[in-house]
mmCIF file of all heavy atoms in Angstrom:
data_model
loop_
_atom_site.group_PDB
_atom_site.id
_atom_site.type_symbol
_atom_site.label_atom_id
_atom_site.label_comp_id
_atom_site.label_asym_id
_atom_site.label_seq_id
_atom_site.Cartn_x
_atom_site.Cartn_y
_atom_site.Cartn_z
ATOM 1 N N ARG A 141 98.501 85.714 104.694
ATOM 2 C CA ARG A 141 97.384 84.998 104.128
ATOM 3 C C ARG A 141 96.228 85.890 104.097
ATOM 4 O O ARG A 141 95.952 86.692 104.923
ATOM 5 C CB ARG A 141 97.041 83.817 105.097
ATOM 6 C CG ARG A 141 98.130 82.692 104.986
ATOM 7 C CD ARG A 141 97.814 81.596 105.957
ATOM 8 N NE ARG A 141 97.906 81.854 107.348
ATOM 9 C CZ ARG A 141 98.961 82.027 108.121
ATOM 10 N NH1 ARG A 141 100.107 81.634 107.650
ATOM 11 N NH2 ARG A 141 98.896 82.232 109.374
ATOM 12 N N VAL A 142 95.351 85.617 103.051
ATOM 13 C CA VAL A 142 94.040 86.335 102.904
ATOM 14 C C VAL A 142 93.022 85.255 102.918
ATOM 15 O O VAL A 142 93.049 84.212 102.175
ATOM 16 C CB VAL A 142 94.019 87.068 101.509
ATOM 17 C CG1 VAL A 142 92.712 87.834 101.390
ATOM 18 C CG2 VAL A 142 95.171 88.110 101.346
ATOM 19 N N VAL A 143 92.043 85.376 103.797
ATOM 20 C CA VAL A 143 91.002 84.411 104.021
ATOM 21 C C VAL A 143 89.640 84.983 103.677
ATOM 22 O O VAL A 143 89.269 86.121 104.153
ATOM 23 C CB VAL A 143 91.047 83.883 105.527
ATOM 24 C CG1 VAL A 143 89.979 82.809 105.706
ATOM 25 C CG2 VAL A 143 92.384 83.383 105.881
ATOM 26 N N ARG A 144 88.775 84.236 102.825
ATOM 27 C CA ARG A 144 87.469 84.671 102.552
ATOM 28 C C ARG A 144 86.571 83.407 102.649
ATOM 29 O O ARG A 144 86.782 82.401 102.005
ATOM 30 C CB ARG A 144 87.226 85.294 101.228
ATOM 31 C CG ARG A 144 85.832 85.630 100.905
ATOM 32 C CD ARG A 144 85.604 86.071 99.590
ATOM 33 N NE ARG A 144 85.764 85.015 98.555
ATOM 34 C CZ ARG A 144 84.772 84.261 98.145
ATOM 35 N NH1 ARG A 144 83.498 84.385 98.649
ATOM 36 N NH2 ARG A 144 84.935 83.339 97.213
ATOM 37 N N ASP A 145 85.606 83.386 103.543
ATOM 38 C CA ASP A 145 84.590 82.362 103.686
ATOM 39 C C ASP A 145 85.352 80.949 103.872
ATOM 40 O O ASP A 145 84.941 79.908 103.202
ATOM 41 C CB ASP A 145 83.645 82.288 102.444
ATOM 42 C CG ASP A 145 82.744 83.474 102.339
ATOM 43 O OD1 ASP A 145 82.495 84.160 103.403
ATOM 44 O OD2 ASP A 145 82.323 83.764 101.192
ATOM 45 N N GLY A 146 86.335 80.906 104.647
ATOM 46 C CA GLY A 146 86.980 79.682 104.909
ATOM 47 C C GLY A 146 88.071 79.190 103.874
ATOM 48 O O GLY A 146 88.859 78.297 104.095
ATOM 49 N N LYS A 147 88.209 80.018 102.765
ATOM 50 C CA LYS A 147 89.205 79.764 101.781
ATOM 51 C C LYS A 147 90.449 80.575 102.048
ATOM 52 O O LYS A 147 90.280 81.781 102.200
ATOM 53 C CB LYS A 147 88.687 79.945 100.370
ATOM 54 C CG LYS A 147 87.501 79.091 99.972
ATOM 55 C CD LYS A 147 87.061 79.447 98.603
ATOM 56 C CE LYS A 147 85.920 78.556 98.226
ATOM 57 N NZ LYS A 147 85.386 78.953 96.906
ATOM 58 N N THR A 148 91.649 79.994 102.055
ATOM 59 C CA THR A 148 92.758 80.720 102.308
ATOM 60 C C THR A 148 93.720 80.877 101.118
ATOM 61 O O THR A 148 93.937 79.803 100.398
ATOM 62 C CB THR A 148 93.615 79.983 103.489
ATOM 63 O OG1 THR A 148 92.719 79.867 104.568
ATOM 64 C CG2 THR A 148 94.782 80.880 103.889
ATOM 65 N N ALA A 149 94.280 82.038 100.942
ATOM 66 C CA ALA A 149 95.202 82.182 99.837
ATOM 67 C C ALA A 149 96.442 82.822 100.414
ATOM 68 O O ALA A 149 96.493 83.577 101.280
ATOM 69 C CB ALA A 149 94.587 83.162 98.817
ATOM 70 N N ASP A 150 97.608 82.456 99.719
ATOM 71 C CA ASP A 150 98.927 82.952 100.040
ATOM 72 C C ASP A 150 98.861 84.396 99.532
ATOM 73 O O ASP A 150 98.745 84.613 98.358
ATOM 74 C CB ASP A 150 99.971 82.157 99.381
ATOM 75 C CG ASP A 150 101.409 82.591 99.617
ATOM 76 O OD1 ASP A 150 101.635 83.822 100.093
ATOM 77 O OD2 ASP A 150 102.414 81.768 99.510
ATOM 78 N N GLY A 151 99.031 85.348 100.359
ATOM 79 C CA GLY A 151 98.979 86.741 100.108
ATOM 80 C C GLY A 151 100.247 87.253 99.208
ATOM 81 O O GLY A 151 100.288 88.457 98.883
ATOM 82 N N LYS A 152 101.218 86.372 98.963
ATOM 83 C CA LYS A 152 102.345 86.762 98.200
ATOM 84 C C LYS A 152 102.226 86.111 96.747
ATOM 85 O O LYS A 152 103.158 86.326 96.030
ATOM 86 C CB LYS A 152 103.623 86.194 98.821
ATOM 87 C CG LYS A 152 103.873 86.969 100.163
ATOM 88 C CD LYS A 152 105.138 86.376 100.841
ATOM 89 C CE LYS A 152 105.331 87.107 102.103
ATOM 90 N NZ LYS A 152 106.664 86.837 102.763
ATOM 91 N N LYS A 153 101.071 85.587 96.419
ATOM 92 C CA LYS A 153 100.896 84.986 95.101
ATOM 93 C C LYS A 153 99.544 85.581 94.476
ATOM 94 O O LYS A 153 98.476 85.366 94.980
ATOM 95 C CB LYS A 153 100.763 83.455 95.168
ATOM 96 C CG LYS A 153 102.102 82.904 95.689
ATOM 97 C CD LYS A 153 101.914 81.346 95.684
ATOM 98 C CE LYS A 153 103.330 80.825 96.161
ATOM 99 N NZ LYS A 153 103.323 79.374 96.191
ATOM 100 N N ILE A 154 99.700 86.329 93.413
ATOM 101 C CA ILE A 154 98.673 87.016 92.858
ATOM 102 C C ILE A 154 97.544 86.162 92.366
ATOM 103 O O ILE A 154 96.361 86.481 92.600
ATOM 104 C CB ILE A 154 99.114 87.998 91.746
ATOM 105 C CG1 ILE A 154 97.905 88.944 91.302
ATOM 106 C CG2 ILE A 154 99.594 87.187 90.535
ATOM 107 C CD1 ILE A 154 98.294 90.145 90.504
ATOM 108 N N PHE A 155 97.845 85.051 91.683
ATOM 109 C CA PHE A 155 96.699 84.192 91.319
ATOM 110 C C PHE A 155 95.955 83.576 92.417
ATOM 111 O O PHE A 155 94.726 83.313 92.295
ATOM 112 C CB PHE A 155 97.264 83.076 90.317
ATOM 113 C CG PHE A 155 97.706 83.639 89.047
ATOM 114 C CD1 PHE A 155 98.994 83.497 88.649
ATOM 115 C CD2 PHE A 155 96.774 84.286 88.221
ATOM 116 C CE1 PHE A 155 99.408 84.067 87.433
ATOM 117 C CE2 PHE A 155 97.194 84.805 87.016
ATOM 118 C CZ PHE A 155 98.557 84.763 86.576
ATOM 119 N N ALA A 156 96.662 83.364 93.555
ATOM 120 C CA ALA A 156 95.939 82.821 94.820
ATOM 121 C C ALA A 156 94.960 83.824 95.313
ATOM 122 O O ALA A 156 93.811 83.549 95.589
ATOM 123 C CB ALA A 156 96.938 82.396 95.863
ATOM 124 N N VAL A 157 95.360 85.140 95.382
ATOM 125 C CA VAL A 157 94.582 86.200 95.870
ATOM 126 C C VAL A 157 93.372 86.422 94.975
ATOM 127 O O VAL A 157 92.186 86.528 95.414
ATOM 128 C CB VAL A 157 95.454 87.464 96.038
ATOM 129 C CG1 VAL A 157 94.495 88.648 96.433
ATOM 130 C CG2 VAL A 157 96.489 87.357 97.105
ATOM 131 N N LEU A 158 93.665 86.477 93.624
ATOM 132 C CA LEU A 158 92.566 86.712 92.740
ATOM 133 C C LEU A 158 91.676 85.481 92.716
ATOM 134 O O LEU A 158 90.411 85.614 92.490
ATOM 135 C CB LEU A 158 93.109 86.950 91.265
ATOM 136 C CG LEU A 158 93.835 88.240 91.117
ATOM 137 C CD1 LEU A 158 94.452 88.327 89.687
ATOM 138 C CD2 LEU A 158 92.879 89.394 91.307
ATOM 139 N N GLY A 159 92.153 84.319 92.865
ATOM 140 C CA GLY A 159 91.371 83.074 92.958
ATOM 141 C C GLY A 159 90.246 83.080 94.037
ATOM 142 O O GLY A 159 89.261 82.328 93.963
ATOM 143 N N LEU A 160 90.408 83.878 94.973
ATOM 144 C CA LEU A 160 89.422 83.994 96.054
ATOM 145 C C LEU A 160 88.132 84.694 95.565
ATOM 146 O O LEU A 160 87.083 84.421 96.139
ATOM 147 C CB LEU A 160 89.953 84.764 97.309
ATOM 148 C CG LEU A 160 91.005 84.107 98.064
ATOM 149 C CD1 LEU A 160 91.534 85.067 99.243
ATOM 150 C CD2 LEU A 160 90.510 82.774 98.725
ATOM 151 N N GLY A 161 88.235 85.468 94.523
ATOM 152 C CA GLY A 161 87.062 86.099 93.905
ATOM 153 C C GLY A 161 86.277 86.997 94.856
ATOM 154 O O GLY A 161 85.118 86.990 94.957
ATOM 155 N N VAL A 162 87.110 87.758 95.629
ATOM 156 C CA VAL A 162 86.509 88.718 96.622
ATOM 157 C C VAL A 162 85.774 89.861 95.847
ATOM 158 O O VAL A 162 86.381 90.606 95.088
ATOM 159 C CB VAL A 162 87.626 89.188 97.545
ATOM 160 C CG1 VAL A 162 86.944 90.165 98.580
ATOM 161 C CG2 VAL A 162 88.340 88.129 98.204
ATOM 162 N N ARG A 163 84.529 90.067 96.201
ATOM 163 C CA ARG A 163 83.728 91.108 95.607
ATOM 164 C C ARG A 163 83.383 92.187 96.603
ATOM 165 O O ARG A 163 83.529 92.051 97.822
ATOM 166 C CB ARG A 163 82.377 90.504 95.194
ATOM 167 C CG ARG A 163 82.608 89.497 93.974
ATOM 168 C CD ARG A 163 81.322 88.868 93.646
ATOM 169 N NE ARG A 163 81.645 87.779 92.701
ATOM 170 C CZ ARG A 163 80.932 87.426 91.651
ATOM 171 N NH1 ARG A 163 79.739 88.086 91.550
ATOM 172 N NH2 ARG A 163 81.266 86.452 90.893
ATOM 173 N N CYS A 164 82.839 93.281 96.072
ATOM 174 C CA CYS A 164 82.449 94.476 96.925
ATOM 175 C C CYS A 164 81.546 93.979 98.000
ATOM 176 O O CYS A 164 80.581 93.218 97.676
ATOM 177 C CB CYS A 164 81.889 95.535 96.072
ATOM 178 S SG CYS A 164 81.450 96.997 96.997
ATOM 179 N N GLY A 165 81.721 94.381 99.197
ATOM 180 C CA GLY A 165 80.829 94.039 100.336
ATOM 181 C C GLY A 165 81.249 92.783 101.085
ATOM 182 O O GLY A 165 80.669 92.443 102.112
ATOM 183 N N GLN A 166 82.141 91.980 100.545
ATOM 184 C CA GLN A 166 82.579 90.767 101.187
ATOM 185 C C GLN A 166 83.740 91.091 102.219
ATOM 186 O O GLN A 166 84.519 91.923 101.893
ATOM 187 C CB GLN A 166 83.118 89.793 100.249
ATOM 188 C CG GLN A 166 81.856 89.131 99.350
ATOM 189 C CD GLN A 166 82.354 88.122 98.433
ATOM 190 O OE1 GLN A 166 83.362 88.228 97.770
ATOM 191 N NE2 GLN A 166 81.558 87.155 98.271
ATOM 192 N N GLU A 167 83.735 90.309 103.248
ATOM 193 C CA GLU A 167 84.734 90.476 104.312
ATOM 194 C C GLU A 167 85.893 89.493 104.026
ATOM 195 O O GLU A 167 85.671 88.381 103.730
ATOM 196 C CB GLU A 167 84.124 90.269 105.714
ATOM 197 C CG GLU A 167 85.154 90.510 106.776
ATOM 198 C CD GLU A 167 84.564 90.287 108.200
ATOM 199 O OE1 GLU A 167 84.485 89.112 108.586
ATOM 200 O OE2 GLU A 167 84.175 91.331 108.805
#
Side-chain angles (χ1 to χ4, degrees):
R141 291 179 294 276
V142 180
V143 182
R144 180 187 69 90
D145 294 336
K147 296 179 184 176
T148 302
D150 183 338
K152 296 182 180 185
K153 296 183 179 179
I154 191 163
F155 290 117
V157 173
L158 291 174
L160 291 174
V162 182
R163 298 176 185 212
C164 183
Q166 292 182 318
E167 182 179 82

